[in-house]
Amino acid sequence: MSETLVRVDLADRSYDIVIGGEVLSSIATRLSGIVKNGARRVFVLTDENVWDNHGDALKSHLATGGIEAIANILPAGEATKSFANLQSVLEWMISHEAERNDVLIAFGGGVIGDLAGLAAGLMKRGMPFVQVPTTLLSQVDSSVGGKTAINSSFGKNLIGLFNQPALVLADISLLKTLPPREWRAGYAEVIKYGLIDRPDFFEHLEIATPDILSGDVNALANAVKVSCESKADVVSADETERGRRALLNLGHTFGHAIEKARGFDGSVLHGEAVATGMCMAYRYSRELGICPGQDVVRAERLFETSGLAPTLSALNTGSFEAEELLEHMFQDKKVESGSLTLILAEGIGKSFVQKGAEIAPLRAFLEAETKL
C-alpha cells in the first residue's frame, strides 16, 4: 500500500504523520533530519510485548543507517505511567550521557508514548522525540497532538505537559500482532472522530467496520488517515486545549472515572472505558433533551457491533457506585474553579463543550446508569 502524509501544522513545531504498510523500514532515512551532529545512536523506550514482537525489526532498520538503538524495556500496562518509571527513564538517559540533541523514540502504545514524551520534555529542558505507535489507539489518537503525562494516585494523566513529537510513523503492519481486545479498544477512538464532528465518517464506519476489524489493510489505513486528519485539524487550531480541542475528550470524563474506579488494574482498558463513556455522554445528552434518541441508538449499536460495551454492566467487571464515579470525575483535567466540564452531543457529529455542568441531574443519571 502507498504511504500517506498528514501534516500537523503548528508553525515551527509542525510535523508529519506518515501512514503506511511498511513505514518502519524507512525510519533511519526519516531520522536523518532529526538526529543532529552526526549522532549514531537513539534512545528507545518500549515495553516487553512490543520489543519481543518488533524489537529486532526496529534495530535492523536503524542499523541500515548506522544508528544504534539503546533500549529501555518496561513492563506493559497502564501502571507503567508512574513517577517511579519517569524517574527511572530520566536517570537511564542521564547514565548514558544523553544530550539535548539526542533523540528518544517512543516505540509502543499510548502508555509508552505518554511516558516517553514527558521524559523527553523534561530531559535537560527538552530533547526531540519520535512516536512510533504500535497500537490502533495510539496510531489514531495518543501519538498525535503532544499530550504527554503520567498518572497520579488521584487520577489519570494529571501530571504532564504538551510536548509535540518531531515525527510520527504509523506503520499499519505493526498492528498484526495486536490481541483482538486491543484492536477493539483502539477502535473506540476511531469511532470517536465520527461522533465529534464528522457524521459522514460515522456513516462510513457503520458500513466499513466489519472490513476494518477483520484487518483489511486498505480499509484500516483509510480509517487511520481520516482519524489523524481529524485530530490534526483540531490540534492545529487549539494546541493546548483551551477551547475546541476539549472535544477530543468525548467520553473521557466518564471513561477515566471508570478506569479509576477499577484502580487502573487492566480489567478495563482505556479504549473500552472510553467507549462506554461515549455512550454515557450520548445517553446523558438525551436525558437533557438535547440529543435525539435515534442517534443514541446508532452510537450504541456501532460500539456493540465493534465488540465494545455500551453500558457499565456490559463491561462485566462488577458493579459501580454512582458517588464514586462522580468523585473521580471531579479529578478530571477539565475541571475549572471547582466546576465540571462535560463533552456532550446534540446528535451524531454534533459534540460540544458544556462548562459548569449541573451536579444534581448528573448524579441522578449516574445512579440510573449503575443500575442498568
Side-chain angles (χ1 to χ4, degrees):
M1 61 175 292
S2 60
E3 294 178 359
T4 300
L5 288 181
V6 175
R7 185 72 169 169
V8 181
D9 189 3
L10 292 168
D12 61 345
R13 297 181 312 289
S14 298
Y15 54 94
D16 289 328
I17 308 165
V18 187
I19 304 164
E22 297 290 341
V23 298
L24 186 64
S25 63
S26 63
I27 188 170
T29 301
R30 296 184 189 279
L31 286 176
S32 61
I34 301 171
V35 176
K36 304 297 184 183
N37 301 330
R40 308 317 302 166
R41 67 174 186 179
V42 291
F43 293 94
V44 179
L45 190 65
T46 187
D47 70 39
E48 295 163 340
N49 294 339
V50 172
W51 196 248
D52 286 346
N53 286 317
H54 306 294
D56 287 342
L58 176 63
K59 288 188 292 184
S60 176
H61 294 319
L62 288 171
T64 63
I67 300 173
E68 177 190 5
I70 302 173
N72 189 342
I73 305 166
L74 298 176
E78 188 70 27
T80 292
K81 284 171 55 171
S82 66
F83 265 120
N85 279 323
L86 176 63
Q87 179 179 353
S88 174
V89 169
L90 290 169
E91 292 184 344
W92 160 67
M93 288 192 288
I94 292 169
S95 73
H96 285 278
E97 299 180 345
E99 301 175 2
R100 293 186 67 186
N101 286 327
D102 282 319
V103 174
L104 176 61
I105 295 176
F107 190 45
V111 169
I112 291 296
D114 276 7
L115 179 59
L118 180 54
L122 295 173
M123 184 65 193
K124 297 186 176 179
R125 299 191 178 93
M127 64 185 290
F129 82 107
V130 171
Q131 290 271 20
V132 184
T134 60
T135 65
L136 181 57
L137 190 151
S138 58
Q139 288 192 0
V140 301
D141 185 65
S142 60
S143 68
V144 179
K147 277 187 175 182
T148 72
I150 57 173
N151 299 332
S152 160
S153 60
F154 291 98
K156 188 179 175 77
N157 295 335
L158 296 182
I159 300 113
L161 50 80
F162 288 93
N163 184 27
Q164 300 295 340
L167 175 70
V168 179
L169 298 180
D171 189 325
I172 302 299
S173 70
L174 297 178
L175 304 180
K176 293 177 182 177
T177 58
L178 273 186
R181 186 184 176 197
E182 293 281 357
W183 261 93
R184 294 192 297 271
Y187 195 57
E189 297 282 1
V190 175
I191 296 172
K192 179 186 74 175
Y193 293 107
L195 290 175
I196 290 173
D197 61 1
R198 298 202 174 199
D200 291 347
F201 184 49
F202 185 88
E203 290 178 11
H204 167 74
L205 294 178
E206 287 179 304
I207 298 170
T209 287
D211 290 336
I212 295 170
L213 293 182
S214 70
D216 182 288
V217 173
N218 291 324
L220 176 59
N222 179 67
V224 172
K225 173 180 174 290
V226 174
S227 299
C228 287
E229 286 174 340
S230 181
K231 185 159 190 181
D233 287 346
V234 173
V235 170
S236 297
D238 180 20
E239 181 180 4
T240 58
E241 199 174 271
R242 299 300 180 184
R244 183 167 176 256
R245 183 169 178 172
L247 292 173
L248 295 172
N249 285 308
L250 175 66
H252 285 60
T253 304
F254 291 109
H256 287 170
I258 292 168
E259 289 183 272
K260 174 63 173 148
R262 290 295 175 263
F264 306 114
D265 63 1
S267 63
V268 181
L269 299 179
H270 173 68
E272 293 170 336
V274 168
T276 303
M278 283 189 275
C279 290
M280 292 173 72
Y282 264 69
R283 286 194 293 273
Y284 187 49
S285 299
R286 180 184 60 194
E287 289 296 308
L288 296 178
I290 57 178
C291 183
Q294 62 188 17
D295 284 7
V296 177
V297 170
R298 286 176 64 196
E300 292 175 330
R301 183 186 299 126
L302 184 53
F303 283 114
E304 284 188 294
T305 299
S306 306
L308 295 160
T311 63
L312 291 171
S313 60
L315 286 169
N316 292 320
T317 63
S319 62
F320 290 84
E321 296 295 328
E323 206 59 38
E324 181 187 12
L325 290 174
L326 186 60
E327 178 184 341
H328 295 328
M329 290 173 73
F330 269 95
Q331 292 293 339
D332 187 79
K333 300 182 300 298
K334 298 182 296 300
V335 169
E336 295 182 4
S337 302
S339 295
L340 194 60
T341 297
L342 297 176
I343 312 304
L344 301 178
E346 295 175 336
I348 301 293
K350 298 178 182 178
S351 295
F352 69 96
V353 180
Q354 183 196 63
K355 293 183 178 290
E358 293 185 35
I359 303 307
L362 179 59
R363 179 180 280 111
F365 170 76
L366 291 173
E367 289 284 357
E369 287 287 302
T370 57
K371 294 176 175 59
L372 284 180

